[in-house]
Amino acid sequence: MLNDLQIARSVQLKPITCIADDLSIPKEYLRNYGNYIAKVSHKFLNALNTKKGKLVIVTAMTPTPAGEGKTTTSIGLSMALNKLGYRSFVTLREPSLGPVFGVKGGAAGGGYSQVLPMEEINLHFTGDIHAVSAAHNLISAMIDAHIRFGNELDIDLTRITWPRTIDMNDRALREIVVGLGGHANGYPRQDQFVITAASEIMAILCLSKDLSDLKKRIGEVVIGWSRTGKPVKVKELNAEGAAAVILKDAIDPNLVQTIESTPALIHGGPFANIAHGTNSIIATRMALGLADYVVTETGFGSDLGAEKFFDFVAPLADLKPAAVVIVATIRAMKYHGGMSLKDLGNEDIDALAKGIENLRVHIENVKKFGLPVVVALNRFASDTQQEIAFTMNCIEELGAKVSLNEAFAKGSEGAIDLAKEVVEIADESKFTPLYNWDSPLEKKIEVIAKEIYRAKEVVYSKDAVDSLKKFTKDGFSNLPIVIAKTQYSLSDDPSKLGAPSGYSFTVRDLKLSAGAGFVVAICGEIMLMPGLGKKPNAVNIDIDEDGNITGLF
């Protein structure tokens, strides 16, 4: 059987100009990056009716180390909608080099359901993530330069909250000291790195509507506090203009195509376990103006990416989701039912029955937002007929539609039934966010913890209590909440598999993202800078003298 890279290289791609012509995108809005990638100017939005298409959100049950295939399903669904005669777009996040070289590997789909060219997409692509890193680190450098030359803003060196960033997993950079080497190098202080996907600049890029909005949001970023307790903003450093200049091309979405020439916009890359977890608003709104259906993936499960999309992104961008697809696998349900990874290929109805409880919670979560749902049961070769029949019957008893998805092996043909189910339910949406932005920060956290995570109570550390008081006093209590927690459990503890409930949900601290427009609640042992494992995916990646890459999938 061919691997992902071999399948990708066997495809004859259309020139990206042909894809753009089919979409009636005028040439003046297009900037080519070779033959198969182009940037579409964000200004093209002004020429579109962005309310045209129906928005389909793809989320998942709680992910496992075995992988569930959410991106593959998103791509396959979009291709299948096209095959049914609709104009469909898929909008995705850009892969981060950290996971590509770490645990996850490539993030451009798989099998016969990929976005191409996969090698370029998984590596530097059009340089957007590098631009985010540069803009972020420019602000970091200007903070230390300002302090070195007089500190007119009276910045408290012990209360600087703006870190540095890099697009790589590197645990050694989680806590560092900068400014060593004498007076000429500045003042020594504690600092840290976060992965670029966790940068507030990444969030701002994905939430901005145009360059003016981008620059304004960067200016509102709070980088720390003065010695008198006043928040210090980027605009006081006069750094917002320069940072926006670095991002002038990154704000434009990237146009590529699927393995079956379905158009795809891939833009931005905030993680869902430490940020809001979806592609840019510009890309989604642009796709809605060009297509009948837009398939947008949100990160991880319904408790993370989907909740943040429904409670934060959708209200901010005035988006109304029409339907939700929850990706599930028999392997993942058996894992949540107590089976070990090495045994997932064995039939076990008892473990499957226990693990379906996890999927039940995700179905209930989506329905709480007034959204119709269909479960895409992603088929694996190890799934038995008895397991498939049992699972599909259980899902129907839970009150959700279900479709067996085989997009990985069959491309669009494997997702035709899923596409039909989506079309059937797409007019049933009664979408309503779960909480009101004007509620106190504690109330918003409590709603998410109890309604989505099934906790009995929320427990705050002293640091979290202090941050709550300060953010409220300084006028930030009306901002929505983005919770940073593990993706491997509905709870804040990755060891709690299945459907935990009645536990205490712990908030360790809160982080202000005033420019992006939200407050981050940091929960459990979540890290804003991942680390590489003992044998990262990087050891499998290589290149020969002809430039052929291996291991990038």
Side-chain angles (χ1 to χ4, degrees):
M1 182 179 177
L2 298 178
N3 63 39
D4 292 355
L5 197 55
Q6 290 168 326
I7 291 170
R9 287 174 177 166
S10 71
V11 176
Q12 181 59 54
L13 292 173
K14 288 185 178 180
I16 201 63
T17 50
C18 293
I19 301 293
D21 287 345
D22 289 344
L23 296 167
S24 300
I25 299 175
K27 287 183 172 59
E28 61 264 30
Y29 293 112
L30 211 65
R31 185 166 69 258
N32 287 11
Y33 282 65
N35 293 326
Y36 307 115
I37 301 170
K39 275 193 170 289
V40 183
S41 171
H42 67 281
K43 295 179 180 179
F44 181 50
L45 263 179
N46 297 329
L48 290 172
N49 173 12
T50 57
K51 298 293 185 182
K52 177 184 175 184
K54 294 178 180 178
L55 183 60
V56 180
I57 303 300
V58 178
T59 183
M61 63 180 292
T62 302
T64 73
E68 280 60 65
K70 184 152 49 69
T71 303
T72 302
T73 301
S74 301
I75 297 164
L77 172 58
S78 185
M79 295 192 303
L81 286 164
N82 267 338
K83 180 153 280 192
L84 289 177
Y86 302 100
R87 172 167 280 184
S88 176
F89 241 108
V90 61
T91 57
L92 302 168
R93 291 172 293 165
E94 301 180 42
S96 165
L97 288 182
V100 167
F101 287 91
V103 175
K104 188 175 180 182
Y112 290 91
S113 187
Q114 298 186 52
V115 280
L116 304 174
M118 71 93 85
E119 290 161 273
E120 285 82 352
I121 291 169
N122 277 313
L123 294 173
H124 306 284
F125 204 16
T126 58
D128 293 345
I129 296 182
H130 297 312
V132 169
S133 298
H136 180 118
N137 289 330
L138 168 67
I139 296 169
S140 300
M142 289 187 71
I143 291 169
D144 285 301
H146 178 89
I147 293 168
R148 168 66 177 78
F149 294 105
N151 195 9
E152 293 179 10
L153 295 174
D154 196 30
I155 299 171
D156 186 339
L157 271 66
T158 67
R159 300 179 71 189
I160 295 172
T161 55
W162 189 254
R164 286 169 158 82
T165 194
I166 185 173
D167 187 30
M168 188 54 62
N169 297 356
D170 193 343
R171 61 173 49 81
L173 297 178
R174 287 173 183 163
E175 299 291 341
I176 61 170
V177 175
V178 297
L180 299 178
H183 181 67
N185 295 335
Y187 295 90
R189 66 178 180 88
Q190 285 185 283
D191 204 349
Q192 62 178 309
F193 273 78
V194 298
I195 194 165
T196 304
S199 163
E200 187 176 351
I201 298 298
M202 176 64 83
I204 287 172
L205 179 71
C206 291
L207 298 169
S208 299
K209 61 184 180 181
D210 53 34
L211 273 172
S212 296
D213 188 34
L214 176 76
K215 185 166 69 171
K216 181 180 178 181
R217 286 175 176 273
I218 294 173
E220 291 299 315
V221 168
V222 172
I223 59 92
W225 310 86
S226 72
R227 281 179 283 208
T228 59
K230 173 181 173 289
V232 180
K233 298 182 178 181
V234 167
K235 63 184 178 183
E236 297 176 82
L237 293 167
N238 297 313
E240 72 272 26
V245 166
I246 294 173
L247 298 168
K248 72 178 182 65
D249 296 327
I251 196 173
D252 297 331
N254 306 296
L255 179 66
V256 290
Q257 62 192 287
T258 73
I259 208 164
E260 297 182 15
S261 301
T262 293
L265 286 174
I266 302 181
H267 193 213
F271 287 168
N273 57 342
I274 49 182
H276 68 278
T278 193
N279 61 277
S280 75
I281 287 174
I282 291 175
T284 298
R285 293 182 66 228
M286 189 177 290
L288 285 168
L290 292 167
D292 302 312
Y293 286 90
V294 174
V295 180
T296 293
E297 175 189 309
T298 60
F300 300 121
S302 73
D303 56 316
L304 284 169
E307 181 276 321
K308 293 166 185 176
F309 190 94
F310 301 148
D311 279 329
F312 169 48
V313 178
L316 176 70
D318 191 26
L319 298 172
K320 307 292 184 185
V324 177
V325 173
I326 299 178
V327 178
T329 68
I330 286 170
R331 290 159 57 87
M333 284 180 271
K334 289 192 291 189
Y335 183 81
H336 281 284
M339 285 189 76
S340 65
L341 276 175
K342 63 182 178 60
D343 294 327
L344 292 181
N346 301 326
E347 182 176 281
D348 191 329
I349 300 297
D350 289 339
L352 184 54
K354 293 176 184 175
I356 284 175
E357 283 298 293
N358 179 269
L359 177 59
R360 173 187 58 79
V361 174
H362 290 283
I363 292 171
E364 291 175 358
N365 281 354
V366 170
K367 289 186 174 183
K368 287 183 178 184
F369 293 94
L371 288 164
V373 59
V374 56
V375 175
L377 186 61
N378 221 5
R379 187 171 192 173
F380 280 72
S382 60
D383 300 342
T384 68
Q385 287 300 322
Q386 185 179 352
E387 287 176 327
I388 292 171
F390 176 82
T391 302
M392 296 184 77
N393 182 63
C394 287
I395 293 170
E396 288 172 354
E397 289 180 354
L398 292 172
K401 291 182 176 292
V402 59
S403 177
L404 192 62
N405 177 42
E406 298 183 90
F408 181 91
K410 300 178 181 178
S412 61
E413 282 295 335
I416 289 292
D417 181 68
L418 175 60
K420 289 178 178 177
E421 295 282 11
V422 166
V423 171
E424 185 176 327
I425 65 173
D427 292 322
E428 299 174 7
S429 175
K430 296 178 182 177
F431 172 66
T432 306
L434 208 56
Y435 62 75
N436 189 312
W437 286 17
D438 291 331
S439 299
L441 292 172
E442 300 100 310
K443 179 63 176 176
K444 286 176 281 202
I445 294 171
E446 181 181 319
V447 167
I448 298 169
K450 290 185 176 180
E451 294 292 328
I452 302 299
Y453 306 155
R454 305 305 198 271
K456 73 172 179 181
E457 62 179 355
V458 179
V459 177
Y460 295 93
S461 70
K462 183 182 182 302
D463 288 341
V465 171
D466 291 344
S467 295
L468 278 171
K469 290 178 180 177
K470 180 153 193 63
F471 296 166
T472 300
K473 179 178 74 71
D474 290 330
F476 298 110
S477 65
N478 65 331
L479 295 180
I481 286 288
V482 163
I483 291 185
K485 77 171 188 74
T486 178
Q487 68 269 34
Y488 293 119
S489 172
L490 286 161
S491 72
D492 56 346
D493 180 351
S495 69
K496 287 187 169 78
L497 301 181
S501 63
Y503 60 92
S504 297
F505 186 81
T506 302
V507 179
R508 286 196 292 115
D509 203 354
L510 287 97
K511 173 179 171 290
L512 178 63
S513 294
F518 55 76
V519 172
V520 181
I522 301 172
C523 306
E525 297 302 316
I526 188 68
M527 294 287 184
L528 302 184
M529 168 54 77
L532 295 177
K534 182 177 181 180
K535 188 178 179 182
N537 194 54
V539 304
N540 303 317
I541 297 173
D542 202 358
I543 189 168
D544 65 20
E545 61 183 11
D546 296 319
N548 296 311
I549 298 171
T550 54
L552 193 67
F553 56 88

